[in-house]
């Protein structure tokens, strides 16, 4: 992910290295944010998912990976908007979900940089 995706956005890498607030919509088990938290220890990460069981799984994974101090997870329907403001909003394999246009519209206004894959 980092070599293939982030390397194409050097300005985002620079900001992550300095420390920014990142949201991941549809975080699932939290794997992407855990990878990012390990690579960018100055940044803070919040994962959002509709499913409480996934959020609990993600929290356990972050704890096990030793990054729970910088990675949090919340049960949120992002199609209703995100709580708070973030410097970077990511989605990994989520935009195929129900009502993708509504989801994108809901998360875009509160972000300054949006990157999707």
């Amino acid at each position: 992910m980092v070599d293939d995706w982030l390397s194409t956005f050097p300005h985002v890498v620079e900001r992550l290295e300095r420390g920014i607030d990142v949201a991941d919509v549809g975080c699932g088990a939290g794997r992407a944010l855990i990878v990012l938290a390990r690579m960018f220890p100055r940044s803070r990460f919040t994962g959002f998912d509709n499913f409480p069981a996934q959020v609990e799984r993600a929290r356990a994974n972050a704890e096990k990976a030793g990054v729970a101090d910088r990675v949090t997870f919340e049960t949120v329907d992002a199609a209703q908007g995100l709580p708070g403001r973030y410097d970077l909003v990511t989605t990994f394999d989520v935009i195929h979900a129900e009502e993708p246009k509504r989801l994108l519209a809901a998360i875009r206004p509160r972000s300054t940089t949006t990157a999707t894959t």
Side-chain angles (χ1 to χ4, degrees):
M1 170 180 69
V2 174
D3 290 337
D4 293 340
W5 174 69
L6 270 181
S7 64
T8 63
F9 300 99
H11 62 289
V12 173
V13 171
E14 290 172 17
R15 293 183 70 202
L16 284 162
E17 288 171 343
R18 286 194 308 261
I20 61 173
D21 292 308
V22 178
D24 183 38
V25 174
C27 65
R31 290 185 187 101
L33 288 186
I34 291 168
V35 168
L36 290 171
R38 285 181 171 160
M39 296 205 62
F40 303 103
R42 291 184 178 157
S43 289
R44 293 144 316 276
F45 304 88
T46 305
F48 298 102
D49 204 286
N50 283 349
F51 302 102
Q54 284 290 69
V55 169
E56 288 305 316
R57 188 170 154 204
R59 287 177 181 155
N61 288 341
E63 188 70 37
K64 184 177 175 183
V67 296
D69 60 324
R70 293 175 285 113
V71 182
T72 60
F73 298 95
E74 297 180 30
T75 304
V76 169
D77 179 1
Q80 303 300 315
L82 297 179
R85 186 173 173 91
Y86 299 90
D87 301 302
L88 174 67
V89 176
T90 62
T91 62
F92 298 97
D93 299 322
V94 172
I95 302 305
H96 64 278
E98 288 184 36
E99 301 184 61
K101 289 181 183 179
R102 185 171 153 231
L103 175 61
L104 287 171
I107 64 177
R108 187 169 185 334
R110 295 180 176 238
S111 66
T112 55
T113 303
T114 303
T116 61
T117 62

